[in-house]
Amino acid sequence: MTYVEAAQAPLRKTGHIKLYGPEGFEGMRRAGQLTARALDEVAGLIGPGVSTEAIDRLVFEFAMDNKAYPATLMYRGYRYSVCTSINHVVCHGMPNARPLRDGDIVNVDITLVVDGWYGDSSRMYAVGNVPRRAERLLDVTYEAMMLGIAAIKPGGHVGDIGAAIQDFVEPQHMSVVRDFCGHGVGQVFHDEPNIVHVGRPGEGPELKPGMIFTVEPMINLGRPHVKVLSDGWTAVTRDRSLSAQFEHAVGVTETGVEIFTESPKGYHKPPYFPA
Ligand code: MF3
Ligand code: CO
Ligand code: CO
């Protein structure tokens, strides 16, 4: 173990789920709110002709201006401040110079680190006018995330979240991605528990006050299967169907759940600027 690894060892996964107190919740509020403000800024930039590189630049500069650091930058060899996942890209799309086109849907996933706390959140954006089926996918995916979050309460179980999502999505002939899941978050980026977005009520670890994790369902118009491209990051639907995702970081409270990454501007789901 190197010197740096030794310094971080107490923060690594240890086989149990951490419980955070008021300082943890306060830290997550500050990180979550900054990430939410960054996602609000992105809403004002996105449109036909804008590149995902421009989104990456905006978020990097926003982070620097606010004494924050983008967690994805140099994370396991990833080189960008955001993930930008367009149309059939499920997650981990890399920013590039290609301009967004009218009718595209794009997920922007941002994690800003503020005083050591990781605010992890993502939203979908519609570029110009999107087809009706894309609009439906965005609505269903947002609702799926919020239903998953609404299922969280102390004494419940992790499986309640996946069950709420799966039982809402599948009857609408859309599918829930299995290959990626939500995760514990706090002073590390990806921690226990895994939050799978399918499941049965009562399964998995018990939810306890002080747990902090993400809910980030990926929903496809077609089949749930994904593959990762040869760049090692970009995950796409195998059948090339459209995919969408929203993500919030949340904490379990004594009475229910607190969302750390709500938009201060009320930009919850598209359209963010109704005509
Ligand atoms: N923000 C993503 C998540 O929700 C993780 C991105 S890791 C990266 O967990 F390396 F792809 F950026
Ligand atoms: Co996440
Ligand atoms: Co994320």
Side-chain angles (χ1 to χ4, degrees), residues 7-252:
Q8 290 172 347
L11 294 177
R12 279 215 300 275
K13 293 193 185 185
T14 51
H16 80 284
I17 304 170
K18 295 183 188 74
L19 300 179
Y20 295 91
E23 335 68 51
F25 275 61
E26 196 42 55
M28 284 303 293
R29 271 176 214 131
R30 302 211 303 129
Q33 275 309 290
L34 196 68
T35 295
R37 280 176 53 205
L39 289 165
D40 286 355
E41 294 283 313
V42 167
L45 173 67
I46 280 186
V50 174
S51 72
T52 47
E53 265 171 17
I55 300 169
D56 188 58
R57 227 163 10 241
L58 174 89
V59 172
F60 178 77
E61 273 155 25
F62 181 88
M64 294 304 113
D65 290 346
N66 289 280
K67 300 178 172 41
Y69 190 81
T72 56
L73 191 54
M74 309 319 276
Y75 174 77
R76 296 172 182 243
Y78 192 83
R79 306 180 62 82
Y80 306 94
S81 299
V82 295
C83 296
T84 48
S85 303
I86 303 168
N87 295 337
H88 71 293
V89 179
V90 173
C91 63
H92 304 166
M94 290 185 281
N96 62 26
R98 170 167 105 61
L100 292 167
R101 284 190 289 256
D102 187 70
D104 284 343
I105 57 169
V106 57
N107 174 277
V108 179
D109 192 338
I110 304 178
T111 306
L112 295 183
V113 188
V114 179
D115 295 334
W117 295 93
Y118 286 66
D120 188 4
S121 184
S122 82
R123 292 181 209 153
M124 295 302 298
Y125 300 83
V127 182
N129 296 305
V130 305
R132 183 68 196 123
R133 67 199 158 83
E135 247 170 44
R136 266 194 68 228
L137 174 64
L138 301 190
D139 286 347
V140 167
T141 306
Y142 179 76
E143 186 77 11
M145 173 185 67
M146 294 309 284
L147 286 169
I149 293 170
I152 297 168
K153 58 174 191 303
H157 290 79
V158 166
D160 304 353
I161 303 167
I165 293 169
Q166 182 173 22
D167 292 350
F168 173 68
V169 169
E170 289 183 345
Q172 312 195 55
H173 307 289
M174 299 183 198
S175 65
V176 182
V177 170
R178 313 311 209 241
D179 300 62
F180 299 96
C181 51
H183 50 90
V185 69
Q187 289 173 298
V188 276
F189 195 178
H190 293 114
D191 206 348
E192 293 164 43
N194 283 338
I195 306 296
V196 183
H197 301 108
V198 296
R200 295 214 305 252
E203 285 182 347
E206 187 181 327
L207 297 170
K208 295 183 177 151
M211 287 183 181
I212 294 178
F213 51 80
T214 70
V215 178
E216 50 178 303
M218 285 141 273
I219 308 300
N220 299 345
L221 276 187
R223 313 253 314 143
H225 310 104
V226 313
K227 68 176 180 200
V228 175
L229 300 186
S230 58
D231 60 26
W233 284 105
T234 313
V236 299
T237 54
R238 281 192 174 270
D239 61 10
R240 297 188 63 88
S241 65
L242 284 182
S243 185
Q245 177 180 31
F246 285 85
E247 175 176 23
H248 271 317
V250 305
V252 184

Side-chain angles (χ1 to χ4, degrees), residues 129 271-275:
N129 296 305
Y272 299 120
F273 310 106

